[in-house]
Amino acid sequence: MGISLSKWLVWRLLQGGIDVEVESHRWMRARRWIAALVTLLVASSVALAAAAPGASAQGSSWTVVPSPSPGTNSNFLTGVSCTSAAFCMAVGYTGDSSSAQTLIEQWNGSPWSVVPSPNVGSDNNQLTSVSCTSKTFCMAVGYAGNLVYPQTLIEQWDGSSWSVVSSPSPGRQNYLEGVSCTSTTFCATVGMSGYGTYQTLIEQWDGSSWSVAVNAGGEWGFAVSCTSSSFCMAVGGDLAESWNGSSWSVASIPSSGSGTHNLDGVSCLSATFCTVAGWSTPTAGMDQALIESWDGSSWSVVSSPSPGANGTDLLGISCADATFCTAVGYADNAILDTLVETWDGSSWSVVSSPSPGINRSVLEGSSCASATFCVAAGEYSDPSSGGRTLIEQGSEAPVPAPTITSVSPPSGPQAGGTPVTIVGTNFAPGATTVAFGSNAATSASC
C-alpha cells in the first residue's frame, strides 16, 4: 500500500486499535492582521513621533479541557468538528478491538459530555472522523463488525440523536477514515476496501444516501477536505485525489526525498489552496514532519520543524486562511508528547501544548470555529489509568507587534490635552491603553 507505520501506529496495532489516523477539519485559528486608527488625548508633550501604543502581542497557547473517559481501560478520540464556541462533536471509541464501542462527546458551551451513539458490530465499533455543518447536522465515519471483516460505519446527527446511515462496503474488509461535509446535501468520506490487496475507497452523500465514487488504486484514504460540492481533496499514503464536481482524479504528490512518506491530514480553503500534513521516513533515519501545499495545479514541499528527539509525526492539519494554518500530532521524546505547529504565511513554528500523559500524549484531530476558539482531540495514558481521552483548547493566535506609520500632530504642549491620531497596523481591537514613553494617554479608542 505504500504505507509505513510510525511508532504510534505500531503501538495502536498492539493495543488492538486502528492503524491509521484521521481526516482534516483540524485546527482553524485565524491570525488577526489589523489596521487601526487610534484617537488619543495626549497627557504629555513627549515627542509623539517616537511614541508607540502600549498594547503587547498576545501569545498562542493550549490548555487541557476535562473530558469523559467512560471505558475502564482504553478511551480514544480521533476526530473533532466545531461549528461555534458553543457546539463541537468529538468521536472515537472506548475499549480494545475485541470489545470496542463507539464514543461520541459533545461540547455545548459547558463541560464535555458523552452522547449516546449506536454500535452495530459484534466486537469492533470504531469512529475515526466527524464533520459538522451546524448544530443539527453532523456525519461521523468509521467501521464496525468482527475483526476479520469490518464494514463501513456512518452515523448522522440530527440535532438530538445519532443514528446509523446505510453505507456501501464493496470489499471483504472496509474502513472509513476521514469525512468532510459542506452542507446537508454534500459530504465525502475516504478510506480503504479489499482483502490482502486494498484499494482507495471514496463515498459521497447526496442528502439522502451514500454511494461509492471511487474504489480503485492501492492507497489508503486517510483524510478529505471539501470546500464545496465541486471541490474536494483526499489524501492518504503518498497519493492525493481531487474532486471537480463530476469526477475524481489523481493530483500527483512530490517525493520528499528517499524513503517513504505518508499523508495523514488535509485542509483546503479553495480549489487553489490546500495544505497536507504527515510524515516522511528516510531510508535510514527516523520520522520527520512533512507538510506540502497545493496551488491549484501542483504540490510543493514546505519546510517544517521536527522537534522529536526520536521522530516527529503530524496527524492532522487545518487552515483558517492563507496566512494561518495549524498541524497537530506528536513528537517522540522517549515518550510521545503532543505537538502543535503553526503557519504564519511564511514559515512553520512549534507552539507549546500540554502533554498530561506519563507514557504518551497524542493529538489526532483539531477544529477551530473562530480565531478565539480551537479544539484538538486525542488521548493520553499513564500506568495507572490506561488510555484516557484528551481534549485541548487553543487560545488566541499570535498577534504581530503593532507598527506605527504616522502620528498627527507630531508633538504637543507640555500640559497635554491635545487630540492625536496614530495610524498603523496590528493594533489590538478596541484598544484603550496607549503610552507615550512613561506617560499614559488619558483616553483612547480604536
Side-chain angles (χ1 to χ4, degrees), residues 17-202:
I18 60 172
D19 60 346
V20 294
E21 299 312 325
V22 296
E23 63 103 35
S24 61
H25 288 305
R26 314 291 197 205
W27 199 69
M28 287 191 174
R29 180 165 49 184
R31 170 181 294 275
R32 288 182 181 174
W33 294 90
I34 301 165
L37 179 65
V38 182
T39 302
L40 313 170
L41 291 177
V42 181
S44 171
S45 61
V46 177
L48 302 185
S56 59
Q58 300 178 35
S60 176
S61 63
W62 289 89
T63 56
V64 174
V65 181
S67 58
S69 291
T72 57
N73 183 21
S74 299
N75 301 269
F76 298 90
L77 292 176
T78 52
V80 62
S81 180
C82 300
T83 62
S84 72
F87 183 79
C88 300
M89 286 285 186
V91 303
Y93 63 96
T94 181
D96 59 29
S97 61
S98 64
S99 61
Q101 301 290 293
T102 60
L103 174 61
I104 300 181
E105 301 187 5
Q106 178 181 351
W107 167 266
N108 60 8
S110 59
W112 286 86
S113 60
V114 174
V115 181
S117 55
N119 291 278
V120 300
S122 58
D123 53 18
N124 186 25
N125 301 266
Q126 302 188 24
L127 294 173
T128 56
S129 182
V130 62
S131 178
C132 299
T133 61
S134 70
K135 289 184 177 181
T136 60
F137 184 80
C138 301
M139 285 286 186
V141 303
Y143 45 91
N146 62 48
L147 292 177
V148 180
Y149 302 116
Q151 304 297 295
T152 62
L153 173 61
I154 299 181
E155 301 187 6
Q156 180 179 343
W157 170 256
D158 65 4
S160 60
S161 63
W162 286 91
S163 59
V164 174
V165 181
S166 177
S167 58
S169 292
R172 294 178 69 186
Q173 294 180 329
N174 304 270
Y175 306 85
L176 295 176
E177 293 296 330
V179 64
S180 179
C181 297
T182 61
S183 69
T184 60
T185 60
F186 184 81
C187 302
T189 181
V190 300
M192 180 188 75
S193 71
Y195 187 75
T197 300
Y198 297 93
Q199 302 180 97
T200 302
L201 174 60
I202 301 178

Side-chain angles (χ1 to χ4, degrees), residues 169-309:
S169 292
R172 294 178 69 186
Q173 294 180 329
N174 304 270
Y175 306 85
L176 295 176
E177 293 296 330
V179 64
S180 179
C181 297
T182 61
S183 69
T184 60
T185 60
F186 184 81
C187 302
T189 181
V190 300
M192 180 188 75
S193 71
Y195 187 75
T197 300
Y198 297 93
Q199 302 180 97
T200 302
L201 174 60
I202 301 178
E203 301 185 6
Q204 292 179 197
W205 168 259
D206 63 5
S208 60
S209 63
W210 286 91
S211 59
V212 174
V214 173
N215 189 28
E219 294 290 346
W220 192 320
F222 285 174
V224 61
S225 180
C226 301
T227 60
S228 69
S229 60
S230 60
F231 182 78
C232 300
M233 187 69 73
V235 301
D238 57 5
L239 178 70
E241 296 191 37
S242 63
W243 166 256
N244 64 6
S246 60
S247 63
W248 290 87
S249 60
V250 173
S252 298
I253 291 284
S255 170
S256 57
S258 61
T260 61
H261 62 290
N262 301 273
L263 305 175
D264 271 334
V266 59
S267 180
C268 298
L269 299 173
S270 69
T272 60
F273 186 95
C274 296
T275 306
V276 298
W279 74 90
S280 62
T281 306
T283 303
M286 57 191 179
D287 293 354
Q288 299 176 354
L290 173 63
I291 295 178
E292 302 188 16
S293 63
W294 168 260
D295 63 5
S297 60
S298 63
W299 292 93
S300 58
V301 176
V302 182
S303 178
S304 56
S306 291

Side-chain angles (χ1 to χ4, degrees), residues 8 21 62 77 313-316 327-330 337-340 353-354 361-366 376-379 390-392:
W8 166 238
E21 299 312 325
W62 289 89
L77 292 176
D313 289 8
L314 295 174
L315 306 178
V328 301
Y330 68 86
D337 295 319
T338 62
L339 175 62
V340 177
S353 58
S361 303
V362 176
L363 295 175
E364 300 198 45
S366 183
E379 67 94 25
L390 174 60
I391 294 181
E392 299 188 5

Side-chain angles (χ1 to χ4, degrees), residues 29-35 57-58 320-321 323-324 344 370-373 395-402 425-431:
R29 180 165 49 184
R31 170 181 294 275
R32 288 182 181 174
W33 294 90
I34 301 165
Q58 300 178 35
D321 56 44
T323 63
F324 196 85
D344 64 3
S370 70
T372 58
F373 186 81
S395 69
E396 179 76 14
V399 178
T425 59
N426 305 324
F427 297 161

